[in-house]
Amino acid sequence: MDEDCEVTQLQEQSCWATLPDVCLRRVFWWLGDRDRSRAALVCRKWNQIMYSADLWRYRTITFSGRPSRVHASEFESALWYIKKFGRYLEHLEIKFLNPYNAVLTKKFQVTMRGLLSCLGKSNNRLRSLSIQHLELDRLVWRNSIRGSLIKSLSFFLKKMGKHLDHLSLKGARLTVEQGCHILNSLSYMQNENMASELNIEDFFSHHLAVYGSSQFNKAMATFRNLTFLTLNYNCISDELLETLSENNAGTLRTMNIKCHVHDPHGQVVWGMSWAKLARQASNLKVNFFFERVMKYERLARILLQEIPVRSISLRSCYFSDPDWSMRPTLTDLLPTFRNTLQKLTFEFNNNHESLDEQLHLLILACRKLFYFKIWAFLDVKFVERILKSQEEGQCSLHTLKVRTLSCLHGVEQVYLSRLGTFALTSTGKWDRDRYETGTAPESVHGRWTQSQTPGSLCCSVSSGFYIHESSQPYVFTEDV
């Protein structure tokens, strides 16, 4: 018996010993840092493979902004990691979550100084850098700490900017001077930068009219190879669009533009500037994300008909105004983009007006619309009408997500299932013995409507919680 066990162990060891390096690297790729450290102690071969560049190309380093014994060593461990494996990094993401006080921001600044210094000395592979949500305009960042961090980052970008293909500084919240100083660091000693992806959403502090800054337009003129550009609407100007059409017309594919109610967005941008950019960058698609900018007058100044709009997201964040109406936007403004619009996301409070008919007509008008998500006050039959239109080929929807409450003698709710995908019999009744994917809502009575086009539409309907996603849509209408 003991001999058999020894033979089995020898066979197992021989299998691992003869496993090709590429297979071992694939196995180790799924391990965390702690398990990788243990595996490196098994034998010399495993230790050597543990230093393969393939295992350390991607890294996300998260620093907690709250004082905690659990997270006390994460600053030291991050620095140790960069010193040990930083030379292999190609994609680095750094997060600093809601700093609590100046002590933690100082600790983060010192760690970043050492981290960036070590990375600049040992690494020439880095292609993607993301440092998000620093929120440097908060009071926990003292002027000296903020200045030292910006200085370290600028020095690093001067040295490594020529290698970077993707840079995200989302949520940095800098002044115009500070932000332009960092952007200019990317083109240090070259007067141009070849990065293809740039994310400067919330890069500048709120309330800053960046569109009037010549510094910003000059800094953006150094980018000559942009494919994806993400920024706020308070950065958009005729000068910026002119710069993009001159320097990035052959490469620019996507612009993501965020418009927040607290950002200045009253500037005049001429349609001819957008038309020139769209004409020269023929593959350009523009995605708009509006937060609490809901009034028709404001939206009409921004959403000009010359813009090749692909996606629009309108979120009210509980905005409520009895004098506000969504109807002109749905009937007069959005149909302007019927030939280009592919995705629509709505979240608004329309308890003072019914919009079922206007929404339905908008979906039918936009022939390229394949994604529609809405959270609003709607009638249950609205979903049935959309599904029927899709079955008859009147619209091109592939994904429909609805979260709705209807007021009719109380609250009328729509159910499909509480969690996961639930199966139904051909009669529309729940078969508890045959299907074991979940439990049906026993207290609800009504009828199921099944789509006749399997796999053509993904439907999600809820009344405050996740309900259903399936390749074959079902809608349950509660009897009231």
Side-chain angles (χ1 to χ4, degrees), residues 63-67 95-101 104-105 132-135 138 140-141:
F63 300 100
S64 175
R66 299 287 172 177
K95 300 178 181 179
F96 188 31
L97 305 178
N98 300 318
Y100 179 74
N101 54 34
L104 288 171
T105 55
Q132 299 190 11
H133 306 297
L134 292 179
E135 299 178 353
R138 293 179 55 191
V140 293
W141 292 95

Side-chain angles (χ1 to χ4, degrees), residues 176-421:
V176 175
E177 292 76 14
Q178 293 168 342
C180 292
H181 177 64
I182 289 179
L183 293 178
N184 286 326
S185 301
L186 290 166
S187 56
Y188 180 69
M189 296 292 289
Q190 301 177 83
N191 295 325
E192 65 178 21
N193 182 269
M194 301 306 292
S196 64
E197 298 184 33
L198 179 65
N199 186 341
I200 52 173
E201 178 185 331
D202 295 332
F203 179 61
F204 298 100
S205 297
H206 291 313
H207 310 293
L208 292 179
V210 186
Y211 56 81
S213 170
S214 59
Q215 283 183 281
F216 175 70
N217 293 323
K218 185 177 179 180
M220 292 301 297
T222 61
F223 292 90
R224 303 299 177 93
N225 192 45
L226 286 177
T227 303
F228 296 92
L229 175 61
T230 302
L231 73 173
N232 292 61
Y233 190 75
N234 65 338
C235 298
I236 300 295
S237 64
D238 292 317
E239 291 76 15
L240 176 64
L241 299 180
E242 179 72 21
T243 298
L244 292 175
S245 62
E246 290 179 358
N247 300 335
N248 301 274
T251 58
L252 193 59
R253 297 289 184 274
T254 302
M255 287 183 66
N256 300 312
I257 302 175
K258 176 184 176 181
C259 185
H260 193 277
V261 66
H262 293 312
D263 289 335
H265 51 270
Q267 71 268 35
V268 176
V269 180
W270 292 99
M272 63 182 69
S273 299
W274 279 110
K276 180 179 179 181
L277 178 60
R279 184 170 59 253
Q280 297 194 12
S282 57
N283 295 318
L284 176 64
K285 302 297 180 185
V286 182
N287 305 314
F288 278 97
F289 303 88
F290 295 95
E291 290 192 12
R292 296 174 61 187
V293 180
M294 303 296 293
K295 293 187 176 181
Y296 173 81
E297 295 77 13
R298 294 184 178 183
L299 293 172
R301 289 172 60 93
I302 299 172
L303 294 173
L304 305 178
Q305 61 181 358
E306 292 84 0
I307 306 176
V309 178
R310 177 184 181 270
S311 170
I312 294 177
S313 174
L314 288 168
R315 298 179 65 249
S316 65
C317 300
Y318 305 104
F319 166 83
S320 181
D321 184 350
D323 297 328
W324 165 78
S325 175
M326 188 69 182
R327 193 165 295 169
T329 302
L330 298 178
T331 58
D332 301 332
L333 182 58
L334 297 186
T336 306
F337 309 101
R338 63 172 62 90
N339 296 322
T340 60
L341 198 57
Q342 298 179 24
K343 295 182 67 175
L344 270 176
T345 301
F346 291 142
E347 179 185 320
F348 49 72
N349 183 358
N350 64 311
N351 60 347
H352 59 286
E353 64 176 348
S354 175
L355 299 173
D356 296 47
E357 182 65 25
Q358 289 74 21
L359 287 168
H360 186 213
L361 292 176
L362 177 62
I363 292 174
L364 296 181
C366 299
R367 301 298 300 174
K368 293 186 178 181
L369 189 70
F370 69 86
Y371 179 96
F372 184 73
K373 179 180 179 181
I374 186 168
W375 181 3
F377 283 86
L378 299 169
D379 191 270
V380 175
K381 294 183 178 179
F382 168 76
V383 181
E384 295 181 354
R385 294 174 63 187
I386 298 301
L387 292 176
K388 184 177 180 181
S389 299
Q390 194 275 338
E391 291 173 7
E392 296 175 352
Q394 299 178 7
C395 62
S396 303
L397 280 181
H398 294 294
T399 302
L400 173 63
K401 296 184 178 181
V402 182
R403 192 177 184 186
T404 176
L405 289 175
S406 298
C407 295
L408 180 62
H409 305 295
V411 179
E412 179 184 2
Q413 299 177 339
V414 180
Y415 289 92
L416 286 182
S417 60
R418 293 254 174 185
L419 292 171
T421 301

Side-chain angles (χ1 to χ4, degrees), residues 415-424 430 435-441 448 458-462 465-474:
Y415 289 92
L416 286 182
S417 60
R418 293 254 174 185
L419 292 171
T421 301
F422 282 66
L424 298 172
W430 182 257
Y435 300 103
E436 299 178 354
T437 55
T439 57
W448 289 92
C458 174
C459 181
S460 174
V461 183
S462 74
F465 47 83
Y466 176 81
I467 295 299
H468 176 86
E469 284 199 21
S470 172
S471 60
Q472 190 170 12
Y474 297 89

